[in-house]
Amino acid sequence: MVPPNDATTELQAAQARIAAQIKVDVLTPTQAADNMKHINDVARSFISDTITVPDKSMYEYALQASLGDDVYAEPSTTALEAHVARITGKEAAIFMPSGTMSNQIALRTHLLQPPYSILVDVRAHINKYEAGGTAFHSGASSITVLPENWHHLTLADVKREVILSDDVHFCPTKIIALENTLNGTIMPQSEVCAISEYAHANGLMMHLDGARIWHVASITGTPLDELCAPFDSASLCFSKGLGAPIGSMLVGTKAFVKRARSFRKLFGGGMRQTGVMAGCAAYALTHNFPLLPRVHELAKRLEKGLEDLGAEIKSRAETCMIFYDPSPLGLEYTEIAERGSQLANPLTLGGSRVVVHIQTSDGAVDDFLALIRTLAEEKEKAGFKRLANGTNTDAPVGQGAYQDPYVRKAVKADA
């Protein structure tokens, strides 16, 4: 054995100092208790369905997944991709870190050479909550359409706004991107098919932002392959509704997915050991999808409770979301959220959007309705009077209300 010389000893000391600088412990001294508190908080939060957390069973399953590298080929991820392609009726699929990346890579993969535009609902996630990615990544213009029925795009809406002309003054439409669900509402499949037939007859492509398409399949009993059939590509999220911690799937033809894989790498979305993420997603599909009927029932119960108390329902609980206006009770969103946070077991509330998810507790719904009842009684005791029709035109608009001049529904819809 060669004895260490001074240079070796000095290097080892330097390495030890650097190791001491680098080491870190991200766990708190009370991490287990902190996690239990967070799980309780999630069960009492109505902000979004993205806040759901993996349970122990999900992690135990995921930790058994393969350990490959997804840039080359990761077995568990490849198996998940093949499964989702099969159930959506598409040739291939690619796992994505997020729904936004999935949508944006889909558009970029379809769009080859400007000028071009995409047609979307003005309220769509692609339009409002993807940081202008359509213009930045694809150099595409967006034609944003407000549905005349205030609920979903129709073929008449599309025909009114689509650009098919080759006039050099205009930016021709190349893609129609639909979202289902949108703000929790379901787009009728008959309308989707009508728009798709028109689009394909005119050489346009169809993309589905199906982040919460699971809800549509569950509540309507329509298989995913039927829901996705009208589209050339579709994005489906595992972290919205199904409770996985991360991930979305983009599906389409083999040629489309091959090109999308190159763009994923270009966008910085090439990942390494994704098996654990694929395992969580697979567990969510198997064990959490069957929980959605309870979510829908709970959302309906919350909607009825709010309406019975005198709140105005702006968008009904077709799936997991409700949009309501408490001003007929003399209430504002900010005071509801503040009082909810002061309960012995706090509630987390935002503006007009209320989201129920697979980890929402029955007690949270009961306490939310009890809170509204208490606050409304306080207002009445303080002299607030409702009009005979149940509304109050002088009531202040809640500060959390969504007041887009193009959308008359009072919604505060984020991702």
Side-chain angles (χ1 to χ4, degrees):
M1 180 175 179
V2 179
N5 55 35
D6 291 344
T8 301
T9 302
E10 184 177 341
L11 175 59
Q12 290 173 339
Q15 291 170 336
R17 288 194 298 271
I18 295 171
Q21 292 171 346
I22 289 175
K23 70 178 182 180
V24 62
D25 182 2
V26 299
L27 305 182
T28 69
T30 56
Q31 193 64 66
D34 294 345
N35 287 348
M36 290 304 297
K37 179 182 182 303
H38 186 74
I39 290 171
N40 175 74
D41 292 345
V42 165
R44 297 177 63 78
S45 175
F46 295 90
I47 297 297
S48 177
D49 54 355
T50 61
I51 64 169
T52 51
V53 296
D55 59 19
K56 183 179 179 181
S57 297
M58 178 181 283
Y59 273 141
E60 288 177 345
Y61 178 83
L63 287 175
Q64 301 176 65
S66 55
L67 303 174
D69 186 315
D70 191 40
V71 171
Y72 300 101
E74 204 297 306
S76 290
T77 306
T78 299
L80 178 68
E81 289 170 341
H83 174 73
V84 176
R86 183 168 58 253
I87 64 175
T88 56
K90 301 303 181 187
E91 292 181 351
I94 176 172
F95 188 75
M96 295 285 184
S98 71
T100 293
M101 180 177 281
S102 188
N103 282 331
Q104 291 302 317
I105 288 181
L107 298 177
R108 185 65 190 87
T109 303
H110 283 308
L111 297 170
L112 301 178
Q113 179 62 48
Y116 37 52
S117 63
I118 68 165
L119 187 148
V120 294
D121 191 304
V122 69
R123 305 162 299 170
H125 194 275
I126 285 176
N127 179 51
K128 297 186 70 67
Y129 302 108
E130 297 187 5
T134 301
F136 182 84
H137 296 298
S138 298
S141 174
S142 294
I143 301 172
T144 58
V145 183
L146 176 64
E148 284 194 352
N149 61 24
W150 306 98
H151 184 271
H152 63 271
L153 284 178
T154 65
L155 179 57
D157 294 324
V158 170
K159 286 182 175 181
R160 186 179 70 250
E161 301 292 346
V162 70
I163 297 176
L164 303 177
S165 171
D166 59 3
D167 188 314
V168 296
H169 295 89
F170 303 119
C171 189
T173 304
K174 296 298 181 183
I175 299 175
I176 296 174
L178 304 179
E179 186 172 338
N180 198 15
T181 66
L182 194 160
N183 289 343
T185 60
I186 298 173
M187 186 170 187
Q189 189 67 4
S190 58
E191 201 67 61
V192 172
C193 291
I195 293 172
S196 177
E197 290 173 8
Y198 174 79
H200 289 139
N202 287 280
L204 308 184
M205 291 168 287
M206 293 281 291
H207 173 68
L208 169 66
D209 179 353
R212 296 181 174 94
I213 196 69
W214 320 108
H215 287 282
V216 183
S218 176
I219 207 163
T220 67
T222 308
L224 285 168
D225 58 351
E226 184 176 334
L227 292 171
C228 294
F231 298 93
D232 300 287
S233 60
S235 173
L236 305 87
C237 288
F238 301 117
S239 61
K240 289 183 177 178
L242 294 186
I246 189 172
S248 291
M249 196 69 79
L250 178 61
V251 300
T253 65
K254 290 181 180 178
F256 170 84
V257 168
K258 182 179 180 180
R259 182 171 165 82
R261 196 171 293 275
S262 294
F263 278 119
R264 188 186 71 170
K265 182 66 175 173
L266 177 75
F267 277 44
M271 297 175 286
R272 299 303 179 184
Q273 284 68 44
T274 56
V276 66
M277 291 183 275
C280 287
Y283 183 94
L285 288 172
T286 303
H287 298 279
N288 291 350
F289 177 80
L291 304 179
L292 294 182
R294 174 188 172 271
V295 173
H296 305 147
E297 292 172 4
L298 207 56
K300 285 285 188 184
R301 180 158 75 84
L302 181 53
E303 174 200 296
K304 184 178 186 303
L306 289 170
E307 195 166 34
D308 288 348
L309 289 169
E312 182 182 359
I313 304 300
K314 292 293 187 178
S315 183
R316 295 195 173 276
E318 294 184 28
T319 54
C320 63
M321 297 185 193
I322 307 150
F323 294 86
Y324 79 112
D325 179 3
S327 62
L329 301 170
L331 303 176
E332 296 187 11
Y333 299 113
T334 50
E335 64 181 313
I336 295 171
E338 182 177 359
R339 287 286 292 274
S341 69
Q342 296 171 356
L343 294 174
N345 194 358
L347 293 171
T348 303
L349 302 162
S352 60
R353 187 177 88 155
V354 180
V355 185
V356 178
H357 51 76
I358 58 172
Q359 292 174 336
T360 303
S361 68
D362 292 288
V365 171
D366 294 336
D367 291 348
F368 183 17
L369 293 174
L371 173 66
I372 298 295
R373 183 181 299 106
T374 297
L375 292 174
E377 290 172 354
E378 290 177 2
K379 291 292 181 180
E380 288 189 356
K381 289 178 180 177
F384 178 84
K385 298 186 183 300
R386 301 184 220 175
L387 297 181
N389 62 1
T391 62
N392 177 40
T393 56
D394 296 326
V397 176
Q399 294 178 18
Y402 182 90
Q403 300 179 59
D404 190 322
Y406 297 103
V407 186
R408 67 185 178 188
K409 286 183 179 181
V411 296
K412 184 179 184 297
D414 59 16

